[in-house]
Amino acid sequence: QHVERLENHRKTLIDGVKTILGGLRSAVSIEEIEGELKKFAPYGDEIREELEAAEHRRQELFEDASKDMEQLAKDDTKSIVQIEEMLTKYESYPNDVRRSRDQLKTELAKLVAKVREELRQIAKGNDFKAVQEQLDKHAKTPSAQIAGVVAELRQRQDNLVVVFCQELERGKA
């Protein structure tokens, strides 16, 4: 009788684990899947099918992350903020997506350098409209990586306003 109760309890445990692992087929979190895989690995052959399905879902998530990062890296309209957000989204993913993450980091570095140079060139000029357009564009979605150059641009805008007002005063005189 005790053996039968133990056997029934074991069956109940296995069924519960199968249900939990079955739910991972639609998981959206790598951490969730990995935590459950580690927790239930000792159950072995009795849940092999469910473990394999969870592992398959884990691989799908890695592939999706890699595709997302690779597509954004190739996108000519990407912004610094979009890249930073995606890198943050996938920062906890293990090395399975390292190549794609590194590619995206490289693209971020190139884009940051390009934007910084563009903003510095605009800050050197006297085109108030160009300064304002860039401030509007970058102030709404600030990135720490270009914050210093945006501050320089804001200072340039202030200087242009002062110079413009001085010229107006001279024109009245």
Side-chain angles (χ1 to χ4, degrees), residues 102-115:
D102 288 349
Q103 179 184 8
L104 197 54
K105 285 179 181 179
T106 299
E107 288 299 314
L108 176 62
K110 286 192 237 178
L111 186 57
V112 165
K114 177 183 171 202
V115 168

Side-chain angles (χ1 to χ4, degrees), residues 78-90:
K78 63 187 168 280
S79 71
I80 292 170
V81 172
Q82 286 175 308
I83 296 173
E84 290 174 336
E85 287 172 351
M86 187 163 292
L87 287 170
T88 299
K89 179 179 178 180
Y90 295 125

Side-chain angles (χ1 to χ4, degrees), residues 121-136:
Q121 290 302 316
I122 290 170
K124 290 178 183 177
N126 293 322
D127 187 344
F128 184 84
K129 183 179 178 185
V131 169
Q132 185 61 51
E133 286 172 354
Q134 291 303 312
L135 283 174
D136 288 345

